[in-house]
Amino acid sequence: MSGTLSKKSGNVVYYKAAPVVDEQMDGLVFISLIAGFASVILRNRIGLWISLFLILSSLVNLKKRAEYKQITMNLVMIVMGLVSTYFWGPQSIFSKPCLLYT
C-alpha cells in the first residue's frame, strides 16, 4: 500500500483559487444618489431628471447582480422625487383664503 501511495504523491496537483477581483462601485450610481437626494431636498426638477438619466445609464451598463438593491433604492427615490415635484407643487401663500376678512 505504501509503495503505491508514494508513487502517486508526486502527481498531486494542489488547488489554487482564482484571484478575487473586487469591482469598484460605479461612479454614476454615487453621483446619481447625491444629485437625486439634493434635488429632492431642494425640489429641483432638472437635477432629478439628470439623476434619473445617470441611474438608468448605470443600470444598462451593470455587470453583476449585487448592485440591484442600491440601484432600485436610488430609482425609487428619484421617481418619488419626480412625483412630489410635479404633482405636489409648491403652494402659494395667496391661494389660501385669509381668515381676517371672513
Side-chain angles (χ1 to χ4, degrees), residues 2-98:
S2 65
T4 59
L5 185 61
S6 64
K7 291 179 184 177
K8 291 185 177 182
S9 64
N11 296 334
V12 174
V13 178
Y14 294 101
Y15 173 74
K16 293 182 181 178
V20 177
V21 178
D22 188 25
E23 293 184 21
Q24 299 273 336
M25 185 179 83
D26 190 12
L28 294 178
V29 175
F30 184 69
I31 293 171
S32 173
L33 178 68
I34 297 299
F37 185 72
S39 298
V40 166
I41 296 297
L42 299 174
R43 299 183 65 90
N44 185 0
R45 293 178 182 173
I46 296 174
L48 284 169
W49 284 109
I50 290 172
S51 63
L52 182 68
F53 174 75
L54 290 175
I55 198 69
L56 289 178
S57 65
S58 178
L59 184 65
V60 168
N61 295 328
L62 190 64
K63 293 181 182 173
K64 63 179 187 176
R65 293 183 172 260
E67 290 186 22
Y68 275 131
K69 280 194 252 181
Q70 183 178 8
I71 289 178
T72 305
M73 183 267 314
N74 198 358
L75 191 61
V76 166
M77 183 187 68
I78 292 168
V79 168
M80 288 185 67
L82 284 169
V83 167
S84 68
T85 303
Y86 279 101
F87 294 125
W88 302 330
Q91 294 180 353
S92 174
I93 298 171
F94 303 111
S95 64
K96 296 179 181 178
C98 183

